[in-house]
Amino acid sequence: MSRNVTVTVNQSEHTCEVEPRLLLVHLLRENLGLTGTNIGCDTSQCGSCTVLMDGQAVKSCTVLAVQADEANITTIEGLAQEGELHPLQESFWEKHGLQCGFCTPGMIMTAHDLLSRNPDPTDTEIRHGLDGNLCRCTGYHNIVTAIQAAASSIRS
Amino acid sequence: MATRIFGSSIKRREDPKLITGEAQYLEDIQLHGMVHAAVLRSPYAHANIRSINVEEAKAVDGVIGVFTGKDFEELPALPCAWQAGGVDNNANTPRVLEIERVTFTGAAVAVVVAENRYIAQDAVGLIEVDYEPLPVVVDAEEASQKGAPQLHENAPGNICMDWACGQEEGTEAALEEADVVVKQRIKNQRLIPTPLEPRGAIAQYSPASEEYTVWMTSQAPHVMRLLMTAFVFGIPETKMRVISPHVGGGFGSKIFLYPEYCLVAALAKKVGRPIKWMETRGENYVATTHGRDHISDIEVGVKRDGTVTALKVKTYANLGGILSTIAPGIPTTLYGRMLSGVYKIPNIYCQVLGVYTNTAMVDAYRGAGRPEATYLVERVMDLVANELKMDPSELRRKNFIPADAFPYEPADDILAGLKYDSGNYEAVLDRALEVTDYKAFRQEQEKARESGRYLGVGFSSYIEVCGVAPSAWVGVGGQGWGAGLWESANVRVHLTGQVVVTTGTQPHGQGHETTVAQVVADELGIPFEDVIVQHSDTLGTPFGYGTYGSRSAAVGAVAVYNSLQRIKDKAKLIGAHMLEASIDDVIYEDGKVHVKGAPTESKTIQEIAGQAALAYDLPEGMEAFLDDTAYYDPPNCTFPFGTHMCMVEVDRHTGQVDIQRYVAVDDVGRVINPMIVDGQVHGGIAQGVAQALWEHGVYDESGQLVSGSLLDYAIPKASFLPSFELDRTETPSPVNPLGVKGAGEAGTIASTPAVVNAVMDALSPLGITHIDMPLTAERVWQAVQQNGNGG
Ligand code: FES
Ligand code: FES
């Protein structure tokens, strides 16, 4: 029944023996101990589990580990480089874009994908870009501000 | 004091862990040898349990045990810690696992413990329960009628409690005499709190020391330990340690003691291994507490000139199938007692029937009682304004409690002896009118109407009660809470001058580590970086009641402040001794004790802390160390207020409501960290707007939760909401030395009526005066069809 899956996560390669039904989010959290990616629902709605898979934001609760075979994954733990926070991490901190922080890793990964496709978004484009990510604490106001701030810092 | 950081928007020190994924939420904790629990829940809303067959589930590879309620018969039902004051409460509370009967869909009836969560979940599906379904009732009013299915023997007519406040006779008489009486039935629909992190617990038991360690997603770890040890397990509280790790939002739903927390602790002992249980989102919807769910009939009496003379309210409050930890206190003390709002209403009477129905437990959800009260009062104001053809802002102004009337005691002893501490209600209204350019909006609205567009503006002038703590008032003898509600803090200035503060409150997004450190740094005159704030673990923090009801600043931070005063007093004694000066000749200023008039003759707090810790040369008879614990029991609650205004456009053809502008002018007393307060207001507004427009916990007639997933329960997405415009005034609270009032719930309390009033204002040309929430496109469209002839 078990399969071997090889994934590169945050630039390091892992091979794991998994059940075919294992979700990518559980592979990351339980097999690899990367618990920054959160689980907030069971219907693919909340986006707390968003990671980058081959550069694109995916909900890791909706991807089977076996589907991620050979993929390149980035999680929130892999975003800061050599101790330097990513501009999105900086701006979420600076602009108070988080309260409880549970949605934050997913929000940041989605924003990462959004800004890679649209480096200079309008507020409306940001709000629509976050349609797959829920936050219950912030009312999104400061999340939008934070993403704008990150966008302008990345552009310059 | 030189430069103060009280009042500055310091970046949160909790964030680095949260933005890098390092923070540990409950589900992130792994213990050696840990096993997993999954709970089987009732698919019926009301049923007798005839038998449970666990054999097949037990046989699954990797299953360690399967247990039912009978395995925990020795554990009593959970306590109800806040019963409505002054009346009988026919309390019925959950058991760890139900044994004979279930009263709502989602009640826990069995549990599987297995090597991993996948196996546990597989095995849950193999448990067979033989249920005898019983008749179901989900509506509180229906449940209280003759012939309704009965849920509990000790609660005839399904009435948990019949509570009242105010003066019935006087209010009736005033209604008789009023020029105009407006009547309306108003529903405040059921909501589901939906923190992004569901609930969970991990427990470990040590047979050698007979001690439990329980991690849980809790807003109040000390209270959890007290309730579990004293009321459920019957063991000394020293035999249990409760820890809240990072908590992913609570909004009230994580205050309470839930069956699963006790279950996990009991299982840890039975199974002999650490055990984790984590709720799925689906379980969170059916088995975690819900909020609101009132049906109210109101009558308001007014004079022709707009003076409100009487308000009479009868409310059916749905409490669910069984009581959650503080359920009866919410629709009574925190609701009925707030019905005077910001107005001088001379006659008030409110009756509340707390009713059992076959639905999930209803308890505090952000605002807890106060949003329900504010919604009624603020809808009433608009209904009256509409009836009298008065401007809603002028009607409010006419009835406001004037700024010179504080402290103000609302009529008819409705607040049971407390007084509103301070306020200036006209100032916040005026500010809101100015920011929105109200007059110009009315002109624009007029013009838009001519071209068939429906714009509306809604007001909400609110008051809320925070720091619900005065023990003599809230406690057993008064409002029925089973204890006092003081708050605690310990401050220790270590040898090097580093300060460690431990608190009895428990942040889950509010930023206490930052704001409390701001208070400490200012008071002691030391760098912000030299203060750390610890919390959320019963080991190493003083007993405290936790975080809810916007109390952590107004009660918790004041405890810290009081400790700091005593620390400074002791520092002065030591400083004077070191300076060989008399105590009367020294003062504490900017982190130093110095001789009056000679600032250079000084000892820093760091030097004094070192002296206190080393203790080889202290004033005669003095104990070592700068260490103080304070228990602060405030003399009164605090009463934040404000005016929110919402501008909408309603599409009469589709019923769609579009929020064009949202302006909030709040007064939460003095503000420690404006950035954090703004964040609290933003999030609060979003939740209140969501109640007005989208969210609704819906049960069908058979007691199935129709809105039981994030697909069906419409919490707002970013694209649903506008950015918010915030402003504030600062009227310090005279209740506490910090002048703070509390800010966690204001947004939620204020915003719901602002939005609904705006939609009603937009639709007023069509003769529509009230639609029950949520104002979904469908509901608005229906109302337009019925009243406004669609056209
Ligand atoms: S956990 Fe909610 S979308 Fe993946
Ligand atoms: S910060 Fe709590 S859910 Fe977004």
Side-chain angles (χ1 to χ4, degrees):
Chain A
M1 274 273 281
S2 294
R3 306 270 179 88
N4 273 343
V5 170
T6 302
V7 283
T8 304
V9 182
N10 302 334
Q11 290 162 16
S12 74
E13 192 180 287
H14 305 267
T15 300
C16 304
E17 198 183 306
V18 304
E19 269 191 75
R21 64 173 174 172
L22 186 77
L23 300 173
L24 175 59
V25 69
H26 287 143
L27 176 89
L28 294 170
R29 291 177 49 86
E30 277 159 33
N31 299 44
L32 305 181
L34 294 168
T35 55
T37 303
N38 293 323
I39 302 171
C41 76
D42 42 18
T43 51
S44 269
Q45 244 71 46
C46 75
S48 308
C49 61
T50 308
V51 300
L52 299 180
M53 182 160 137
D54 296 328
Q56 278 197 334
V58 297
K59 291 180 172 176
S60 63
C61 73
T62 314
V63 175
L64 293 168
V66 291
Q67 290 174 292
D69 194 21
E70 303 292 331
N72 200 329
I73 309 280
T74 308
T75 70
I76 190 73
E77 290 93 341
L79 216 51
Q81 293 297 323
E82 291 159 19
E84 284 278 304
L85 291 178
H86 185 276
L88 275 162
Q89 291 171 310
E90 282 286 359
S91 66
F92 269 69
W93 189 10
E94 185 74 40
K95 301 293 181 193
H96 191 29
L98 61 148
Q99 289 179 26
C100 80
F102 197 78
C103 71
T104 311
M107 282 287 173
I108 289 180
M109 299 322 276
T110 299
H112 193 285
D113 175 303
L114 173 76
L115 296 184
S116 70
R117 288 179 288 109
N118 180 358
D120 190 8
T122 63
D123 281 6
T124 309
E125 285 169 340
I126 292 176
R127 285 182 182 273
H128 282 285
L130 296 178
D131 258 353
N133 291 70
L134 297 173
C135 173
R136 193 57 159 164
C137 297
T138 63
Y140 304 101
H141 182 111
N142 285 343
I143 291 180
V144 175
T145 317
I147 295 173
Q148 282 296 13
S152 84
S153 122
I154 293 169
R155 284 198 307 273
S156 57
Chain B
M1 186 150 299
T3 49
R4 292 178 66 91
I5 53 172
F6 191 112
S8 42
S9 290
I10 292 188
K11 282 205 293 184
R12 297 201 319 172
R13 53 163 50 158
E14 5 320 69
D15 288 2
K17 280 190 180 167
L18 296 164
I19 53 179
T20 54
E22 199 189 299
Q24 277 211 324
Y25 297 94
L26 188 111
E27 190 158 20
D28 304 341
I29 297 169
Q30 289 293 350
L31 301 177
H32 189 65
M34 189 163 73
V35 295
H36 295 262
V39 172
L40 176 69
R41 299 184 181 280
S42 164
Y44 291 101
H46 197 191
N48 287 323
I49 301 170
R50 287 206 196 98
S51 63
I52 303 181
N53 181 347
V54 299
E55 292 314 314
E56 220 185 317
K58 264 189 180 158
V60 174
D61 227 16
V63 167
I64 292 158
V66 184
F67 306 91
T68 68
K70 293 213 170 106
D71 296 306
F72 302 98
E73 242 163 351
E74 74 285 3
L75 297 178
L78 273 44
C80 177
W82 193 5
Q83 309 211 357
V87 294
D88 287 338
N89 288 246
N90 304 319
N92 294 278
T93 55
R95 298 186 70 94
V96 168
L97 290 171
E98 297 303 339
I99 301 173
E100 287 172 353
R101 213 155 48 87
V102 291
T103 53
F104 67 97
T105 305
V109 296
V111 63
V112 174
V113 179
E115 293 293 344
N116 72 42
R117 74 176 78 220
Y118 286 66
I119 298 171
Q121 206 58 58
D122 286 347
V124 159
L126 298 173
I127 301 172
E128 282 172 30
V129 185
D130 183 10
Y131 291 101
E132 177 196 357
L134 297 168
V136 168
V137 60
V138 299
D139 177 276
E141 188 184 21
E142 278 170 31
S144 71
Q145 308 296 315
K146 269 212 180 75
Q150 297 294 297
L151 272 66
H152 302 286
E153 261 171 30
N154 68 349
N158 295 315
I159 301 300
C160 167
M161 82 278 171
D162 181 351
W163 179 92
C165 63
Q167 288 289 337
E168 187 172 18
E169 267 177 36
T171 304
E172 291 286 4
L175 284 170
E176 287 282 320
E177 281 167 25
D179 295 340
V180 178
V181 174
V182 179
K183 296 184 187 180
Q184 181 69 49
R185 165 158 284 208
I186 295 178
K187 292 188 182 173
N188 198 299
Q189 83 272 32
R190 179 179 285 249
L191 300 180
I192 309 183
T194 322
L196 253 260
E197 178 202 35
R199 286 183 302 125
I202 295 172
Q204 187 168 32
Y205 180 75
S206 154
S209 63
E210 300 178 324
E211 284 169 13
Y212 297 85
T213 306
V214 188
W215 292 257
M216 59 171 88
T217 50
S218 174
Q219 299 176 224
H222 282 282
V223 176
M224 292 304 100
R225 176 174 72 164
L226 176 66
L227 296 180
M228 282 172 79
T229 55
F231 295 92
V232 182
F233 288 87
I235 56 173
E237 63 261 52
T238 47
K239 292 293 181 190
M240 186 178 285
R241 172 182 177 191
V242 173
I243 303 165
S244 291
H246 276 92
V247 174
F251 315 112
S253 71
K254 291 176 181 168
I255 301 170
F256 319 119
L257 181 61
Y258 285 94
E260 299 90 346
Y261 299 168
C262 302
L263 176 63
V264 170
L267 284 170
K269 183 172 177 187
K270 253 193 203 330
V271 172
R273 286 170 70 178
I275 178 162
K276 179 192 279 185
W277 165 76
M278 192 73 216
E279 189 179 62
T280 63
R281 176 59 57 189
E283 288 181 283
N284 180 267
Y285 273 112
V286 295
T288 295
T289 52
H290 296 179
R292 320 275 195 260
D293 206 345
H294 287 193
I295 302 170
S296 297
D297 289 309
I298 58 113
E299 282 179 64
V300 56
V302 276
K303 290 193 198 151
R304 284 252 165 256
D305 70 356
T307 308
V308 177
T309 55
L311 176 64
K312 187 176 162 212
V313 177
K314 177 174 182 180
T315 296
Y316 298 92
N318 195 335
L319 300 175
I322 209 156
L323 294 182
S324 166
T325 313
I326 61 171
I330 307 306
T332 52
T333 293
L334 291 181
Y335 164 73
R337 302 208 176 284
M338 293 311 292
L339 282 170
S340 190
V342 286
Y343 308 108
K344 253 178 328 174
I345 304 179
N347 298 283
I348 306 186
Y349 177 69
C350 170
Q351 182 194 8
V352 179
L353 290 175
V355 186
Y356 289 110
T357 68
N358 296 115
T359 60
M361 298 183 283
V362 179
D363 207 322
Y365 165 55
R366 199 171 193 173
R370 292 153 288 170
E372 295 91 316
T374 305
Y375 182 65
L376 278 196
V377 174
E378 288 305 288
R379 280 302 295 130
V380 158
M381 284 294 154
D382 270 33
L383 289 166
V384 168
N386 187 66
E387 184 71 29
L388 300 180
K389 305 277 175 275
M390 273 180 82
D391 183 285
S393 67
E394 285 316 308
L395 181 81
R396 283 175 170 78
R397 191 187 300 280
K398 184 162 193 63
N399 288 285
F400 275 156
I401 297 158
D404 60 6
F406 294 92
Y408 176 82
E409 182 166 3
D412 287 346
D413 199 31
I414 194 164
L415 199 47
L418 290 191
K419 293 183 173 145
Y420 293 177
D421 57 346
S422 61
N424 188 345
Y425 305 148
E426 274 201 275
V428 285
L429 174 66
D430 286 338
R431 186 80 195 113
L433 293 173
E434 190 184 319
V435 173
T436 53
D437 200 353
Y438 179 58
K439 280 205 183 113
F441 178 84
R442 284 294 186 199
Q443 285 161 5
E444 190 191 331
Q445 180 184 43
E446 212 38 59
K447 260 209 228 119
R449 278 182 185 161
E450 284 160 19
S451 60
R453 286 173 57 218
Y454 291 79
L455 305 186
V457 56
F459 291 86
S460 170
S461 291
Y462 73 95
I463 183 168
E464 66 146 324
V465 53
C466 288
V468 176
S471 299
W473 183 76
V474 77
V476 184
Q479 300 308 310
W481 186 290
L485 275 178
W486 44 264
E487 203 42 76
S488 64
N490 172 270
V491 178
R492 265 167 296 147
V493 188
H494 282 256
L495 180 74
T496 56
Q498 296 286 308
V499 176
V500 179
V501 180
T502 53
T503 69
T505 57
Q506 194 287 331
H508 38 283
Q510 298 89 340
H512 296 178
E513 291 175 23
T514 305
T515 46
V516 169
Q518 285 179 256
V519 171
V520 175
D522 264 8
E523 275 309 310
L524 288 185
I526 59 173
F528 175 72
E529 294 70 32
D530 286 0
V531 187
I532 64 161
V533 180
Q534 297 173 338
H535 49 78
S536 306
D537 185 342
T538 58
L539 181 74
T541 62
F543 184 94
Y545 286 93
T547 290
Y548 41 84
S550 309
R551 67 194 299 278
S552 295
V555 197
V558 180
V560 175
Y561 177 89
N562 287 351
S563 260
L564 293 169
Q565 303 318 308
R566 295 200 289 251
I567 294 271
K568 288 201 292 191
D569 287 347
K570 185 165 175 181
K572 267 164 59 181
L573 287 169
I574 299 170
H577 177 76
M578 292 166 82
L579 294 163
E580 296 178 3
S582 140
I583 180 70
D584 298 328
D585 290 338
V586 298
I587 50 174
Y588 191 106
E589 199 173 51
D590 292 343
K592 291 182 191 126
V593 172
H594 67 78
V595 177
K596 279 180 199 159
T600 49
E601 295 275 296
S602 66
K603 292 289 170 191
T604 64
I605 179 71
Q606 291 82 0
E607 289 170 305
I608 294 168
Q611 187 90 351
L614 297 173
Y616 59 85
D617 183 17
L618 289 177
E620 177 103 17
M622 180 183 276
E623 280 183 8
F625 228 83
L626 293 176
D627 181 334
D628 186 84
T629 303
Y631 296 88
Y632 174 63
D633 195 357
N636 192 0
C637 300
T638 56
F639 297 86
F641 59 92
T643 288
H644 286 206
M645 286 176 71
C646 177
M647 275 108 158
V648 300
E649 174 160 4
V650 181
D651 183 333
R652 69 179 286 183
H653 302 295
T654 62
Q656 189 70 36
V657 175
D658 178 32
I659 299 182
Q660 301 193 317
R661 237 184 130 180
Y662 195 99
V663 172
V665 183
D666 295 297
D667 192 319
V668 298
R670 290 186 63 209
V671 171
I672 302 172
N673 185 319
M675 177 190 81
I676 287 178
V677 167
D678 285 352
Q680 290 294 311
V681 176
H682 292 151
I685 293 172
Q687 286 181 5
V689 170
Q691 169 165 31
L693 296 180
W694 308 296
E695 292 183 19
H696 193 180
V698 182
Y699 280 94
D700 70 12
E701 279 178 4
S702 67
Q704 295 301 315
L705 182 64
V706 181
S707 56
S709 81
L710 278 172
L711 272 170
D712 304 295
Y713 186 79
I715 83 166
K717 298 179 175 193
S719 60
F720 291 16
L721 293 164
S723 287
F724 310 117
E725 298 167 58
L726 306 192
D727 205 329
R728 69 169 63 91
T729 60
E730 273 194 39
T731 308
S733 172
V735 172
N736 61 66
L738 294 175
V740 297
K741 291 194 170 187
E745 295 159 299
T748 314
I749 291 167
S751 55
T752 307
V755 176
V756 173
N757 285 343
V759 176
M760 294 311 129
D761 182 55
L763 297 176
S764 61
L766 303 176
I768 296 169
T769 54
H770 184 76
I771 308 173
D772 276 321
M773 301 182 290
L775 304 182
T776 56
E778 186 191 346
R779 281 197 183 186
V780 172
W781 182 84
Q782 292 281 10
V784 171
Q785 297 310 302
Q786 281 159 20
N787 295 277
N789 191 24

